[in-house]
Amino acid sequence: MPRQPKPKDHTLLEMAIVGYQSELDRISARMAEINAQLGKRGPGRPKGTGAGPASATAAAPTVPAKRRTISKAGRARIAAAQRARWAAQKKQHAQPAKPAGPAQPAKPKKRKLSAAGLKAIREATKKRWAAFHKAKEAAA
């Protein structure tokens, strides 16, 4: 790609920067309006300037709100309610709901290997390994 000659006069570039800056300001203002409609607070916006009763007393000095604390009895009620929810959920998962349709056929019993069958498998495996080792020795 060929180089472009450097302009001797930077006024065109400065004008471009001014134009883009004004466009950026216009877009930022529009975004702030939309965020205000959504109820979102912008960065650095004081707490009392939102829509509501607090905006009527904007002239009053704003004092940071004190954090509320929960009493021990309140925490105990919340904990008991949470334990009850967990117990109900565990109970629901322990007893899955049965389908309302026709009865499902019983699952077939799991097949078990007899002692004779296990013995036959072991002997066949030993026979295969013996043949493998014999072939390996013959090749060496």
Side-chain angles (χ1 to χ4, degrees):
M1 192 164 148
R3 290 187 183 181
Q4 296 180 350
K6 291 185 179 179
K8 294 179 185 176
D9 190 16
H10 294 292
T11 57
L12 182 65
L13 295 175
E14 290 171 358
M15 287 172 41
I17 288 175
V18 169
Y20 285 132
Q21 187 64 42
S22 66
E23 200 170 327
L24 179 66
D25 293 340
R26 183 181 59 81
I27 292 171
S28 296
R30 184 68 182 130
M31 287 175 60
E33 289 174 15
I34 293 171
N35 280 332
Q37 290 175 356
L38 290 173
K40 294 183 180 178
R41 293 173 19 143
R45 184 172 161 190
K47 287 187 178 183
T49 60
S55 63
T57 60
T62 57
V63 178
K66 184 180 175 185
R67 294 201 51 151
R68 299 186 328 180
T69 57
I70 300 176
S71 67
K72 288 186 178 182
R75 289 170 77 75
R77 284 194 305 270
I78 292 171
Q82 185 63 40
R83 281 193 294 272
R85 284 192 292 271
W86 274 106
Q89 187 173 2
K90 285 181 182 178
K91 185 177 179 182
Q92 182 181 11
H93 286 296
Q95 299 172 354
K98 294 182 180 177
Q104 298 278 336
K107 290 184 182 178
K109 288 186 178 181
K110 193 170 182 181
R111 294 169 51 181
K112 295 181 181 177
L113 189 60
S114 68
L118 184 61
K119 184 178 179 184
I121 290 173
R122 284 181 180 152
E123 289 175 359
T125 304
K126 286 180 184 179
K127 186 176 177 182
R128 277 194 301 273
W129 275 112
F132 172 78
H133 290 299
K134 188 174 181 181
K136 191 174 179 182
E137 286 177 9

